[in-house]
Amino acid sequence: MKNTKLISLLLSLLTLISCSQDSATSSVIVDKAAIVATVAADYSSGAHAVISKDANGVRIATNDLVPTGSDITVSANGADFYRIERAFAGNNITKFSGSDAQTPIWQYSTNDAGSAVLSNPYDMIFVSETKAYVLRNGSSIAWVVNPSATTEAEFKIGELDLSAYADADGVPEMSAGMIVNGKLYIALQRLENFAVTQVAYVAIFDVNTDQEIDANIPGDTLMGIPLQTRNPGNIIYEPVSNSIFVQGTGSFWPEEFTGGIEKINLATLTTTVIVDDGDAVTHPYGLITELAVVSDSILYFVGYAAWADNTLYKLDLNTAEITPTGVVSLVNGQISSLSVDSEGLLWVSDSANATVRIIDPATDTEVDALYTNLNPEKVVFVK
Amino acid sequence: MINIGEKVGAKKTLLHPVYKSSYFTIAVLLALLSSALVRAQDEELHVLIDDGQIKSRIGEVDSSTTSSANSVIEADRLRNNFVSLPDVLEQEVGVQMRSSGGEGSLSTAVLRGASSEQVIIYLDGVPLNNASGGSVDLSLIPVNVIERIEIYRGSTPLALGNPSIGGAVNIITRQSARLSADENTGQISASVASFHTYKLSGSSSISYDRDDVLLSACYLKSKNDFSFVNDNGTHYNQADDRVENRNNDGVEHISMLANWKYKISEQYDTELRLVIFDRQKEIPSATNNADVQTHLDTRQYDFLAQINVHDAWSKDSNLNLKLFATGKNEEFDDSLAQVGFFSQYSESVTKKLGVQFYAEKNRLQQQWRFITAISGETYDSESSLALVEIGLNTRDQIELSVENVSYFDQQRFILNIVARYQVVNDQLSSVTDSSGAVTPAFDESYRLLNPQIGAKYLFNSRTYLTANVGRYNRIPSFYELFGGDGLLLGNADLKQESSLNMDVGFTYAWYEPYSWLHDAEVYAGIYHNKIENLIVRIYNGQGIGVPQNISDAVIQGFESTIKLQPAANHSINANISLIDSVNKTDVGSFNGKVLPSYYQQSLSLHYTYALTVWSFTAEADVKRNMYYDRSNLLEADDVNLLNLSARRNFMHSNIDLRVDNILDENVQYFRNRPTPGLSFSLTYNHNF
């Protein structure tokens, strides 16, 4: 009897342990495919490409889907992806299913009706299947939208007012966003007619109420978090350290090294510059233009030394060591974007060779390369 | 040793002696050889041209001897109705016009598939293309100032300096009625047309003793509020499409021409000509918003003074000396950031001054022609977007060209050999950025050698075979070399684009071959152009563009013109053009693709039926297969245009009614830039 009870207990324990392991495994949903925004080298056209695995597990690229103008990017949520046409394309968003990348589900404009101003949508950040935010770089107002809307009238469901951050050109240039624990963090470039002259910010909103949250930064009249680096492009959350990493480019023209990589501690809302791009005399990496967070200790960024001279660098946060990648094509090349998939692989947009290169951060080696015909600009993943 | 198209870097180098150039030497030797062959012939001259006398004016292209594939638009097609310069050029074989909107909108010419930057537009033999940008906006030139238009496809005659890859369009301005053999000394014309369009023009010609004066003025105003379907930027969402009128595409345009010719003596005559254009053009936004106030104002003057010397040092030795000056001021105002992405106000001033000397010696069986020209151009711009301070950019140019025209086989066979040598020197002044850093001034120089050979065999005056081969170049523009604002960088290492052009053509004419056919003329030609070092602006992942010599290309085609006159009061003209091109480049998505921005097949038909007091015209223009992009992913819609007109003639006046674009197509020659659909115009002309 005692033995039976012990065996039952052991079996229960074993079951409990295996269930826990199964839960841990099933919480990571493997990407089904990668969606790549691609553009012609002369910016005369654009399209998207799909990189998926065939029956043998070999990655294949299907290119030049649904051609359009060149000023495009992509975003994804679950099984769907969204192609965003910016200022010099259509100023719209088109929804596709990851299983049918050639048939638009819907396409809606992001311009304000009757306005001459181009909204220039930059990013789409998702709360759920029925709520998302559209960051409109050409406006002071971000839209709250319903991605499941079946008519255009149902698409826009609210607004976030960021006009407090507007500078002399009238808009704050919202560039990227991230939702963490019910809060939306929006990076604001605050460029004045393209000039990088103002302090950049990260504004915080409650995704349940769409109200701005005051970060209560001492001495600052604005509610957001002022950044030490300028011209933010990428904003990425790292869960282990509960931090957001922000990449700041500084200025291309005139060349000014006011960027870097900045870490925001979400518990204290304090910022730390972990990589400074240097100054006019000393700038070992050039401007810092892209960022990917592989783990709590490993980051990758792109150093922009010159127009056709970009290098992928690996940063070990534990040792503070920064090393250039061992992948030859990604040294002194042209790199448009960095993305990390569900398996922790780094996807690099090599726009010098119209190729997406997949790097294993553990070994810093290239594990795959997919030709996209047009130059890759942004990679996202659908489930 | 100088190679053809040698580019000299920033270092100063000594000018190598021209005679060391192998190509120039070959050209000169050929010319001397043909000259020797001519002298060796002991032929009785059967003159197919007038005893060596040139029909054209001194310094103009001699149509009887030129082997260049060409067409001429005479004054009668430019008068008495509501047409624009782009409209008439569009009807010519080998020419395709691209317009960005309604009346007065940017309109550029593509010639045999060559881009508008590769086509030189001349005004009375003086190039209009600027060093800053390259293309000429042909909507700026009203037809009222034009006497005739000569189009040379693929090869450029010597009389026109600055030979170009695509060919040349020479716009010849009007002169007095006496010199034009026009029985009318004056004309007033008034037009009303769709989209709130009004045009008023007049000219008056005075001839007295040795003086010939022509004054002409034209005023055009249009709201260009044509209707079109605005898809709201959402191609896949027809629910938000709306039919609306075009907003902020209006134009107001004033032009004036003054021409004074004075015959000093039988040997000397002079000409002074001044043309002024003043245009205010509204620029519509991508959203077609009615509140947009963006506009582009252009003011341009072109001054020409020339003197002709007939029989200068011997019989049939003629000289022409030209002094020309051009000034162009452009103001672009998008202060409210309604068209572009940033609030922008910019002003640019281009000034050009030059002198050209032309000499010809005409013997019975050969002619020698010589041109030398010197010009200097300055470009100054200020922009609110500029984060740096840029001074004056200058381009100085020297050309030295010689042509030998030799006649063989009783003057049936004409051989043209041309050698051109150009030296171009660009200077960028120092640049100071907002942080005070100074980039010192630097120079770029080009030395270009453009030889060309043409042959023409005359079966009779209207039936002939032509062949041409020649090398042509396009020097990079200032923007390509030195950049613009911020995102548009320059590339001082750019080589010039160059092309080896070859063509063969045959023209055959019948006079009354059949009872039902009064007159007929057929032209058919094929051409093959091999272009190297095409300049394309390439962008990196951060959206910053740098022009690069990225491509080679082959453009080849077939063109044909058929002119039929079944009876004296019927005429039918048809133009067919088939163009094929292949892009050869290391850019994978461009390689093997068709070059963009021209239609591969085009057909135009023109039928006129003239009665005693009435005449009726029908025109059809069909175009197929154009890509907007180099990757050939974005295909333009086909073009199907149908126009009708009717004219009632009175003794001293006429009334012309036109219906254009009957099928109401808003053609987009530039992507997302619709042009007007169905339109009407009524014109009243009075001649006196």
Side-chain angles (χ1 to χ4, degrees), chain B residues 102 194-196 223-230 242-247 249 288 661 664-667 674-679:
Chain B
S194 300
F195 320 129
H196 302 90
K223 213 171 167 185
N224 281 326
D225 53 347
F226 57 89
S227 69
F228 74 106
V229 176
N230 185 349
R242 50 191 186 265
V243 177
E244 56 188 35
N245 290 340
R246 195 59 160 152
N247 289 309
D249 197 21
N288 195 43
N661 198 350
D664 199 21
E665 290 193 350
N666 297 114
V667 178
T675 56
L678 173 66
S679 66

PDB file of all heavy atoms in Angstrom, chain B residues 102 194-196 223-230 242-247 249 288 661 664-667 674-679:
ATOM      1  N   GLY B 102      -1.283  68.513 -66.270  1.00  0.00           N
ATOM      2  CA  GLY B 102      -1.995  69.282 -67.277  1.00  0.00           C
ATOM      3  C   GLY B 102      -1.110  70.255 -68.016  1.00  0.00           C
ATOM      4  O   GLY B 102       0.118  70.170 -67.992  1.00  0.00           O
ATOM      5  N   SER B 194     -11.021  73.412 -72.304  1.00  0.00           N
ATOM      6  CA  SER B 194     -11.488  72.777 -71.070  1.00  0.00           C
ATOM      7  C   SER B 194     -10.572  73.125 -69.911  1.00  0.00           C
ATOM      8  O   SER B 194      -9.422  73.552 -70.104  1.00  0.00           O
ATOM      9  CB  SER B 194     -11.527  71.257 -71.251  1.00  0.00           C
ATOM     10  OG  SER B 194     -12.382  70.888 -72.287  1.00  0.00           O
ATOM     11  N   PHE B 195     -11.079  72.906 -68.738  1.00  0.00           N
ATOM     12  CA  PHE B 195     -10.309  73.070 -67.490  1.00  0.00           C
ATOM     13  C   PHE B 195      -9.907  74.530 -67.282  1.00  0.00           C
ATOM     14  O   PHE B 195      -8.813  74.818 -66.793  1.00  0.00           O
ATOM     15  CB  PHE B 195      -9.072  72.151 -67.486  1.00  0.00           C
ATOM     16  CG  PHE B 195      -9.311  70.791 -68.061  1.00  0.00           C
ATOM     17  CD1 PHE B 195      -8.483  70.281 -69.045  1.00  0.00           C
ATOM     18  CD2 PHE B 195     -10.401  70.017 -67.654  1.00  0.00           C
ATOM     19  CE1 PHE B 195      -8.711  69.037 -69.604  1.00  0.00           C
ATOM     20  CE2 PHE B 195     -10.637  68.769 -68.210  1.00  0.00           C
ATOM     21  CZ  PHE B 195      -9.785  68.283 -69.190  1.00  0.00           C
ATOM     22  N   HIS B 196     -10.836  75.425 -67.681  1.00  0.00           N
ATOM     23  CA  HIS B 196     -10.614  76.861 -67.466  1.00  0.00           C
ATOM     24  C   HIS B 196      -9.302  77.308 -68.096  1.00  0.00           C
ATOM     25  O   HIS B 196      -8.456  77.923 -67.441  1.00  0.00           O
ATOM     26  CB  HIS B 196     -10.626  77.188 -65.963  1.00  0.00           C
ATOM     27  CG  HIS B 196     -11.888  76.805 -65.274  1.00  0.00           C
ATOM     28  ND1 HIS B 196     -12.077  75.570 -64.702  1.00  0.00           N
ATOM     29  CD2 HIS B 196     -13.041  77.499 -65.092  1.00  0.00           C
ATOM     30  CE1 HIS B 196     -13.301  75.507 -64.189  1.00  0.00           C
ATOM     31  NE2 HIS B 196     -13.917  76.654 -64.414  1.00  0.00           N
ATOM     32  N   LYS B 223      -6.450  76.377 -65.307  1.00  0.00           N
ATOM     33  CA  LYS B 223      -6.622  75.856 -63.963  1.00  0.00           C
ATOM     34  C   LYS B 223      -6.266  74.363 -63.918  1.00  0.00           C
ATOM     35  O   LYS B 223      -5.996  73.817 -62.852  1.00  0.00           O
ATOM     36  CB  LYS B 223      -8.077  76.051 -63.540  1.00  0.00           C
ATOM     37  CG  LYS B 223      -8.288  76.308 -62.072  1.00  0.00           C
ATOM     38  CD  LYS B 223      -9.734  76.693 -61.819  1.00  0.00           C
ATOM     39  CE  LYS B 223     -10.015  76.642 -60.322  1.00  0.00           C
ATOM     40  NZ  LYS B 223     -11.418  76.879 -60.020  1.00  0.00           N
ATOM     41  N   ASN B 224      -6.272  73.729 -65.088  1.00  0.00           N
ATOM     42  CA  ASN B 224      -5.941  72.290 -65.171  1.00  0.00           C
ATOM     43  C   ASN B 224      -6.749  71.463 -64.176  1.00  0.00           C
ATOM     44  O   ASN B 224      -6.226  70.504 -63.605  1.00  0.00           O
ATOM     45  CB  ASN B 224      -4.441  72.072 -64.928  1.00  0.00           C
ATOM     46  CG  ASN B 224      -3.617  72.397 -66.157  1.00  0.00           C
ATOM     47  OD1 ASN B 224      -4.059  72.187 -67.299  1.00  0.00           O
ATOM     48  ND2 ASN B 224      -2.436  72.913 -65.944  1.00  0.00           N
ATOM     49  N   ASP B 225      -7.989  71.822 -63.954  1.00  0.00           N
ATOM     50  CA  ASP B 225      -8.796  71.084 -62.970  1.00  0.00           C
ATOM     51  C   ASP B 225      -9.551  69.938 -63.661  1.00  0.00           C
ATOM     52  O   ASP B 225     -10.774  69.815 -63.572  1.00  0.00           O
ATOM     53  CB  ASP B 225      -9.762  72.016 -62.243  1.00  0.00           C
ATOM     54  CG  ASP B 225     -10.630  72.831 -63.193  1.00  0.00           C
ATOM     55  OD1 ASP B 225     -10.325  72.854 -64.408  1.00  0.00           O
ATOM     56  OD2 ASP B 225     -11.604  73.455 -62.737  1.00  0.00           O
ATOM     57  N   PHE B 226      -8.777  69.096 -64.331  1.00  0.00           N
ATOM     58  CA  PHE B 226      -9.369  67.954 -65.016  1.00  0.00           C
ATOM     59  C   PHE B 226      -9.814  66.907 -63.999  1.00  0.00           C
ATOM     60  O   PHE B 226      -9.274  66.827 -62.887  1.00  0.00           O
ATOM     61  CB  PHE B 226      -8.371  67.355 -66.023  1.00  0.00           C
ATOM     62  CG  PHE B 226      -7.064  66.924 -65.418  1.00  0.00           C
ATOM     63  CD1 PHE B 226      -6.887  65.641 -64.898  1.00  0.00           C
ATOM     64  CD2 PHE B 226      -5.984  67.798 -65.386  1.00  0.00           C
ATOM     65  CE1 PHE B 226      -5.670  65.257 -64.359  1.00  0.00           C
ATOM     66  CE2 PHE B 226      -4.759  67.412 -64.843  1.00  0.00           C
ATOM     67  CZ  PHE B 226      -4.613  66.138 -64.329  1.00  0.00           C
ATOM     68  N   SER B 227     -10.791  66.121 -64.380  1.00  0.00           N
ATOM     69  CA  SER B 227     -11.274  65.100 -63.455  1.00  0.00           C
ATOM     70  C   SER B 227     -10.478  63.813 -63.636  1.00  0.00           C
ATOM     71  O   SER B 227     -10.028  63.491 -64.735  1.00  0.00           O
ATOM     72  CB  SER B 227     -12.769  64.829 -63.679  1.00  0.00           C
ATOM     73  OG  SER B 227     -12.958  64.182 -64.909  1.00  0.00           O
ATOM     74  N   PHE B 228     -10.307  63.128 -62.547  1.00  0.00           N
ATOM     75  CA  PHE B 228      -9.599  61.849 -62.578  1.00  0.00           C
ATOM     76  C   PHE B 228     -10.023  61.044 -61.368  1.00  0.00           C
ATOM     77  O   PHE B 228     -10.693  61.564 -60.462  1.00  0.00           O
ATOM     78  CB  PHE B 228      -8.083  62.070 -62.597  1.00  0.00           C
ATOM     79  CG  PHE B 228      -7.512  62.520 -61.268  1.00  0.00           C
ATOM     80  CD1 PHE B 228      -6.774  61.649 -60.481  1.00  0.00           C
ATOM     81  CD2 PHE B 228      -7.700  63.816 -60.825  1.00  0.00           C
ATOM     82  CE1 PHE B 228      -6.255  62.065 -59.265  1.00  0.00           C
ATOM     83  CE2 PHE B 228      -7.189  64.230 -59.611  1.00  0.00           C
ATOM     84  CZ  PHE B 228      -6.462  63.354 -58.823  1.00  0.00           C
ATOM     85  N   VAL B 229      -9.659  59.792 -61.345  1.00  0.00           N
ATOM     86  CA  VAL B 229      -9.993  58.932 -60.215  1.00  0.00           C
ATOM     87  C   VAL B 229      -8.852  58.976 -59.215  1.00  0.00           C
ATOM     88  O   VAL B 229      -7.727  58.562 -59.519  1.00  0.00           O
ATOM     89  CB  VAL B 229     -10.234  57.474 -60.667  1.00  0.00           C
ATOM     90  CG1 VAL B 229     -10.479  56.578 -59.451  1.00  0.00           C
ATOM     91  CG2 VAL B 229     -11.412  57.404 -61.630  1.00  0.00           C
ATOM     92  N   ASN B 230      -9.119  59.507 -58.040  1.00  0.00           N
ATOM     93  CA  ASN B 230      -8.124  59.547 -56.970  1.00  0.00           C
ATOM     94  C   ASN B 230      -8.298  58.291 -56.124  1.00  0.00           C
ATOM     95  O   ASN B 230      -9.333  58.105 -55.479  1.00  0.00           O
ATOM     96  CB  ASN B 230      -8.336  60.805 -56.124  1.00  0.00           C
ATOM     97  CG  ASN B 230      -7.251  60.967 -55.063  1.00  0.00           C
ATOM     98  OD1 ASN B 230      -6.464  60.056 -54.815  1.00  0.00           O
ATOM     99  ND2 ASN B 230      -7.223  62.131 -54.437  1.00  0.00           N
ATOM    100  N   ARG B 242     -12.358  58.040 -55.434  1.00  0.00           N
ATOM    101  CA  ARG B 242     -13.331  59.086 -55.712  1.00  0.00           C
ATOM    102  C   ARG B 242     -12.924  59.824 -56.988  1.00  0.00           C
ATOM    103  O   ARG B 242     -11.731  60.031 -57.244  1.00  0.00           O
ATOM    104  CB  ARG B 242     -13.440  60.060 -54.547  1.00  0.00           C
ATOM    105  CG  ARG B 242     -12.123  60.579 -54.046  1.00  0.00           C
ATOM    106  CD  ARG B 242     -12.247  61.339 -52.737  1.00  0.00           C
ATOM    107  NE  ARG B 242     -10.965  61.928 -52.378  1.00  0.00           N
ATOM    108  CZ  ARG B 242     -10.077  61.361 -51.567  1.00  0.00           C
ATOM    109  NH1 ARG B 242     -10.316  60.181 -51.034  1.00  0.00           N
ATOM    110  NH2 ARG B 242      -8.935  61.968 -51.290  1.00  0.00           N
ATOM    111  N   VAL B 243     -13.924  60.206 -57.734  1.00  0.00           N
ATOM    112  CA  VAL B 243     -13.686  61.030 -58.919  1.00  0.00           C
ATOM    113  C   VAL B 243     -13.681  62.476 -58.466  1.00  0.00           C
ATOM    114  O   VAL B 243     -14.653  62.961 -57.878  1.00  0.00           O
ATOM    115  CB  VAL B 243     -14.771  60.809 -59.987  1.00  0.00           C
ATOM    116  CG1 VAL B 243     -14.535  61.745 -61.170  1.00  0.00           C
ATOM    117  CG2 VAL B 243     -14.793  59.357 -60.436  1.00  0.00           C
ATOM    118  N   GLU B 244     -12.591  63.157 -58.723  1.00  0.00           N
ATOM    119  CA  GLU B 244     -12.513  64.551 -58.296  1.00  0.00           C
ATOM    120  C   GLU B 244     -11.683  65.330 -59.295  1.00  0.00           C
ATOM    121  O   GLU B 244     -11.056  64.769 -60.187  1.00  0.00           O
ATOM    122  CB  GLU B 244     -11.902  64.648 -56.901  1.00  0.00           C
ATOM    123  CG  GLU B 244     -10.544  64.007 -56.746  1.00  0.00           C
ATOM    124  CD  GLU B 244     -10.061  63.958 -55.293  1.00  0.00           C
ATOM    125  OE1 GLU B 244     -10.898  63.786 -54.395  1.00  0.00           O
ATOM    126  OE2 GLU B 244      -8.850  64.091 -55.095  1.00  0.00           O
ATOM    127  N   ASN B 245     -11.733  66.644 -59.132  1.00  0.00           N
ATOM    128  CA  ASN B 245     -10.959  67.503 -60.022  1.00  0.00           C
ATOM    129  C   ASN B 245      -9.547  67.669 -59.492  1.00  0.00           C
ATOM    130  O   ASN B 245      -9.321  67.689 -58.282  1.00  0.00           O
ATOM    131  CB  ASN B 245     -11.627  68.875 -60.140  1.00  0.00           C
ATOM    132  CG  ASN B 245     -12.930  68.809 -60.903  1.00  0.00           C
ATOM    133  OD1 ASN B 245     -13.160  67.863 -61.657  1.00  0.00           O
ATOM    134  ND2 ASN B 245     -13.775  69.799 -60.725  1.00  0.00           N
ATOM    135  N   ARG B 246      -8.619  67.806 -60.417  1.00  0.00           N
ATOM    136  CA  ARG B 246      -7.233  67.998 -60.030  1.00  0.00           C
ATOM    137  C   ARG B 246      -7.101  69.347 -59.339  1.00  0.00           C
ATOM    138  O   ARG B 246      -7.613  70.359 -59.826  1.00  0.00           O
ATOM    139  CB  ARG B 246      -6.338  67.967 -61.275  1.00  0.00           C
ATOM    140  CG  ARG B 246      -4.842  67.806 -61.010  1.00  0.00           C
ATOM    141  CD  ARG B 246      -4.556  66.563 -60.290  1.00  0.00           C
ATOM    142  NE  ARG B 246      -3.182  66.107 -60.400  1.00  0.00           N
ATOM    143  CZ  ARG B 246      -2.590  65.382 -59.450  1.00  0.00           C
ATOM    144  NH1 ARG B 246      -3.229  65.075 -58.351  1.00  0.00           N
ATOM    145  NH2 ARG B 246      -1.359  64.962 -59.627  1.00  0.00           N
ATOM    146  N   ASN B 247      -6.416  69.369 -58.221  1.00  0.00           N
ATOM    147  CA  ASN B 247      -6.224  70.606 -57.484  1.00  0.00           C
ATOM    148  C   ASN B 247      -4.787  71.090 -57.588  1.00  0.00           C
ATOM    149  O   ASN B 247      -3.850  70.306 -57.645  1.00  0.00           O
ATOM    150  CB  ASN B 247      -6.575  70.381 -56.005  1.00  0.00           C
ATOM    151  CG  ASN B 247      -8.059  70.206 -55.791  1.00  0.00           C
ATOM    152  OD1 ASN B 247      -8.864  71.017 -56.254  1.00  0.00           O
ATOM    153  ND2 ASN B 247      -8.441  69.145 -55.105  1.00  0.00           N
ATOM    154  N   ASP B 249      -2.962  72.481 -59.909  1.00  0.00           N
ATOM    155  CA  ASP B 249      -2.135  72.115 -61.075  1.00  0.00           C
ATOM    156  C   ASP B 249      -2.152  73.239 -62.094  1.00  0.00           C
ATOM    157  O   ASP B 249      -1.797  73.064 -63.244  1.00  0.00           O
ATOM    158  CB  ASP B 249      -2.651  70.807 -61.694  1.00  0.00           C
ATOM    159  CG  ASP B 249      -1.621  70.157 -62.618  1.00  0.00           C
ATOM    160  OD1 ASP B 249      -0.420  70.445 -62.495  1.00  0.00           O
ATOM    161  OD2 ASP B 249      -2.048  69.365 -63.499  1.00  0.00           O
ATOM    162  N   ASN B 288      -3.810  65.186 -53.688  1.00  0.00           N
ATOM    163  CA  ASN B 288      -4.672  66.078 -54.469  1.00  0.00           C
ATOM    164  C   ASN B 288      -5.494  67.007 -53.574  1.00  0.00           C
ATOM    165  O   ASN B 288      -6.643  67.334 -53.852  1.00  0.00           O
ATOM    166  CB  ASN B 288      -5.630  65.273 -55.367  1.00  0.00           C
ATOM    167  CG  ASN B 288      -6.261  66.140 -56.444  1.00  0.00           C
ATOM    168  OD1 ASN B 288      -5.595  66.961 -57.062  1.00  0.00           O
ATOM    169  ND2 ASN B 288      -7.563  65.974 -56.656  1.00  0.00           N
ATOM    170  N   ASN B 661      -8.389  63.401 -76.678  1.00  0.00           N
ATOM    171  CA  ASN B 661      -8.511  62.263 -75.745  1.00  0.00           C
ATOM    172  C   ASN B 661      -9.969  61.851 -75.570  1.00  0.00           C
ATOM    173  O   ASN B 661     -10.509  61.841 -74.467  1.00  0.00           O
ATOM    174  CB  ASN B 661      -7.869  62.649 -74.399  1.00  0.00           C
ATOM    175  CG  ASN B 661      -7.544  61.457 -73.540  1.00  0.00           C
ATOM    176  OD1 ASN B 661      -7.956  60.324 -73.832  1.00  0.00           O
ATOM    177  ND2 ASN B 661      -6.826  61.689 -72.464  1.00  0.00           N
ATOM    178  N   ASP B 664     -11.034  59.556 -73.002  1.00  0.00           N
ATOM    179  CA  ASP B 664     -10.992  60.057 -71.622  1.00  0.00           C
ATOM    180  C   ASP B 664     -10.057  59.229 -70.737  1.00  0.00           C
ATOM    181  O   ASP B 664     -10.418  58.794 -69.642  1.00  0.00           O
ATOM    182  CB  ASP B 664     -12.410  60.061 -71.028  1.00  0.00           C
ATOM    183  CG  ASP B 664     -12.502  60.981 -69.817  1.00  0.00           C
ATOM    184  OD1 ASP B 664     -11.646  61.872 -69.690  1.00  0.00           O
ATOM    185  OD2 ASP B 664     -13.424  60.788 -68.994  1.00  0.00           O
ATOM    186  N   GLU B 665      -8.826  59.055 -71.211  1.00  0.00           N
ATOM    187  CA  GLU B 665      -7.860  58.304 -70.411  1.00  0.00           C
ATOM    188  C   GLU B 665      -6.951  59.268 -69.665  1.00  0.00           C
ATOM    189  O   GLU B 665      -6.358  60.153 -70.269  1.00  0.00           O
ATOM    190  CB  GLU B 665      -6.989  57.427 -71.325  1.00  0.00           C
ATOM    191  CG  GLU B 665      -7.730  56.273 -71.955  1.00  0.00           C
ATOM    192  CD  GLU B 665      -6.767  55.266 -72.588  1.00  0.00           C
ATOM    193  OE1 GLU B 665      -5.568  55.563 -72.698  1.00  0.00           O
ATOM    194  OE2 GLU B 665      -7.237  54.191 -72.972  1.00  0.00           O
ATOM    195  N   ASN B 666      -6.811  59.077 -68.376  1.00  0.00           N
ATOM    196  CA  ASN B 666      -5.853  59.879 -67.597  1.00  0.00           C
ATOM    197  C   ASN B 666      -4.507  59.150 -67.602  1.00  0.00           C
ATOM    198  O   ASN B 666      -4.132  58.488 -66.641  1.00  0.00           O
ATOM    199  CB  ASN B 666      -6.341  60.071 -66.160  1.00  0.00           C
ATOM    200  CG  ASN B 666      -7.642  60.843 -66.090  1.00  0.00           C
ATOM    201  OD1 ASN B 666      -8.682  60.318 -65.694  1.00  0.00           O
ATOM    202  ND2 ASN B 666      -7.596  62.110 -66.484  1.00  0.00           N
ATOM    203  N   VAL B 667      -3.784  59.325 -68.684  1.00  0.00           N
ATOM    204  CA  VAL B 667      -2.522  58.604 -68.847  1.00  0.00           C
ATOM    205  C   VAL B 667      -1.533  59.037 -67.768  1.00  0.00           C
ATOM    206  O   VAL B 667      -1.431  60.217 -67.433  1.00  0.00           O
ATOM    207  CB  VAL B 667      -1.922  58.883 -70.242  1.00  0.00           C
ATOM    208  CG1 VAL B 667      -0.584  58.177 -70.412  1.00  0.00           C
ATOM    209  CG2 VAL B 667      -2.906  58.463 -71.328  1.00  0.00           C
ATOM    210  N   PRO B 674      -1.406  61.766 -62.933  1.00  0.00           N
ATOM    211  CA  PRO B 674      -2.355  61.675 -64.047  1.00  0.00           C
ATOM    212  C   PRO B 674      -2.297  62.904 -64.936  1.00  0.00           C
ATOM    213  O   PRO B 674      -2.003  64.013 -64.489  1.00  0.00           O
ATOM    214  CB  PRO B 674      -3.711  61.571 -63.344  1.00  0.00           C
ATOM    215  CG  PRO B 674      -3.501  62.256 -62.021  1.00  0.00           C
ATOM    216  CD  PRO B 674      -2.082  61.967 -61.633  1.00  0.00           C
ATOM    217  N   THR B 675      -2.595  62.700 -66.199  1.00  0.00           N
ATOM    218  CA  THR B 675      -2.715  63.793 -67.171  1.00  0.00           C
ATOM    219  C   THR B 675      -4.190  63.926 -67.552  1.00  0.00           C
ATOM    220  O   THR B 675      -4.982  63.023 -67.289  1.00  0.00           O
ATOM    221  CB  THR B 675      -1.848  63.518 -68.405  1.00  0.00           C
ATOM    222  OG1 THR B 675      -2.223  62.258 -68.972  1.00  0.00           O
ATOM    223  CG2 THR B 675      -0.375  63.473 -68.039  1.00  0.00           C
ATOM    224  N   PRO B 676      -4.564  65.037 -68.167  1.00  0.00           N
ATOM    225  CA  PRO B 676      -5.984  65.281 -68.440  1.00  0.00           C
ATOM    226  C   PRO B 676      -6.621  64.242 -69.357  1.00  0.00           C
ATOM    227  O   PRO B 676      -5.967  63.670 -70.223  1.00  0.00           O
ATOM    228  CB  PRO B 676      -5.986  66.655 -69.096  1.00  0.00           C
ATOM    229  CG  PRO B 676      -4.733  67.307 -68.625  1.00  0.00           C
ATOM    230  CD  PRO B 676      -3.736  66.209 -68.474  1.00  0.00           C
ATOM    231  N   GLY B 677      -7.914  64.052 -69.184  1.00  0.00           N
ATOM    232  CA  GLY B 677      -8.678  63.171 -70.059  1.00  0.00           C
ATOM    233  C   GLY B 677      -9.331  63.978 -71.176  1.00  0.00           C
ATOM    234  O   GLY B 677      -8.731  64.871 -71.770  1.00  0.00           O
ATOM    235  N   LEU B 678     -10.586  63.664 -71.436  1.00  0.00           N
ATOM    236  CA  LEU B 678     -11.328  64.303 -72.526  1.00  0.00           C
ATOM    237  C   LEU B 678     -11.308  65.830 -72.380  1.00  0.00           C
ATOM    238  O   LEU B 678     -11.568  66.356 -71.292  1.00  0.00           O
ATOM    239  CB  LEU B 678     -12.762  63.796 -72.516  1.00  0.00           C
ATOM    240  CG  LEU B 678     -13.758  64.454 -73.460  1.00  0.00           C
ATOM    241  CD1 LEU B 678     -13.399  64.160 -74.914  1.00  0.00           C
ATOM    242  CD2 LEU B 678     -15.182  63.964 -73.157  1.00  0.00           C
ATOM    243  N   SER B 679     -11.008  66.514 -73.474  1.00  0.00           N
ATOM    244  CA  SER B 679     -10.996  67.980 -73.404  1.00  0.00           C
ATOM    245  C   SER B 679     -11.404  68.562 -74.744  1.00  0.00           C
ATOM    246  O   SER B 679     -11.295  67.907 -75.790  1.00  0.00           O
ATOM    247  CB  SER B 679      -9.615  68.487 -73.009  1.00  0.00           C
ATOM    248  OG  SER B 679      -8.665  68.199 -74.012  1.00  0.00           O
TER     249      SER B 679
END
